[in-house]
Amino acid sequence: MADKLTQLQEAMDQLCTQFIAAFYYIERHHDLEKFNANDKIPDLKPEQPKEVETLDPETFRAGQLELARDLITKEQQVEYLISTLPGLDNSERDQLQMIRELEDELEVAEKQRLEAVKERDEVLKRLDGLIRMIRRH
């Protein structure tokens, strides 16, 4: 169970990282366009770093498509991991029944363990008795 939860947490962390990378890509490489007549694109001084490195439209769209596919793949992985967690398809009553069955199995296993411990103690006593007899002769 913890293993699946760990996998889910890691997948969620990766998904968040991919979202950030996608936002960064779009923010960093979009076209500089005016949305209305009052918008201004500032002129950069030669020593000032560029805030946007515009890519040609084909390259930009190809990058967006790749990022979108990666996000979809990771999201599907997260959904799969969630679907494998216990309890999603079981009602509370079903889960309680499963717990009772496991408790019954645990009781049987504990009885078997106690019987094995008792048998071990008996065998040790007999073995101790045999060792003492051999030492006397």
Side-chain angles (χ1 to χ4, degrees):
M1 172 81 151
D3 188 46
K4 288 185 183 189
L5 290 177
T6 302
Q7 289 175 5
L8 179 59
Q9 180 62 51
E10 288 173 0
M12 288 299 298
D13 291 346
Q14 291 167 355
L15 181 63
C16 290
T17 301
Q18 286 177 303
F19 272 123
I20 292 168
F23 286 132
Y24 178 79
Y25 177 84
I26 292 168
E27 182 213 12
R28 189 81 175 134
H29 300 295
H30 65 82
D31 286 337
L32 295 174
E33 291 185 15
K34 294 181 180 182
F35 291 105
N36 66 44
N38 297 334
D39 288 343
K40 294 180 183 177
I41 299 174
D43 293 327
L44 296 175
K45 298 175 185 168
E47 70 277 355
Q48 189 176 3
K50 286 183 165 183
E51 291 182 20
V52 176
E53 296 175 10
T54 304
L55 296 175
D56 66 275
E58 249 182 66
T59 305
F60 184 65
R61 281 189 181 76
Q64 283 180 313
L65 183 61
E66 183 179 345
L67 289 167
R69 285 182 181 147
D70 291 345
L71 286 170
I72 290 169
T73 301
K74 185 56 68 177
E75 184 273 335
Q76 288 173 341
Q77 180 186 5
V78 167
E79 279 190 26
Y80 170 75
L81 289 170
I82 289 171
S83 73
T84 63
L85 293 174
L88 291 179
D89 296 329
N90 299 326
S91 68
E92 183 178 350
R93 184 175 39 126
D94 293 339
Q95 291 180 32
L96 289 173
Q97 178 63 32
M98 191 182 313
I99 290 171
R100 278 189 220 104
E101 289 170 4
L102 290 172
E103 286 174 344
D104 292 343
E105 287 178 31
L106 185 59
E107 274 184 42
V108 169
E110 180 63 16
K111 286 178 184 177
Q112 290 173 345
R113 186 190 72 81
L114 291 174
E115 287 175 15
V117 167
K118 184 178 175 183
E119 184 179 337
R120 179 199 66 189
D121 290 342
E122 289 173 4
V123 168
L124 284 174
K125 284 179 186 177
R126 287 194 337 225
L127 182 60
D128 189 43
L130 287 173
I131 292 172
R132 287 180 189 199
M133 265 183 28
I134 293 173
R135 283 187 183 166
R136 288 182 198 159
H137 292 312

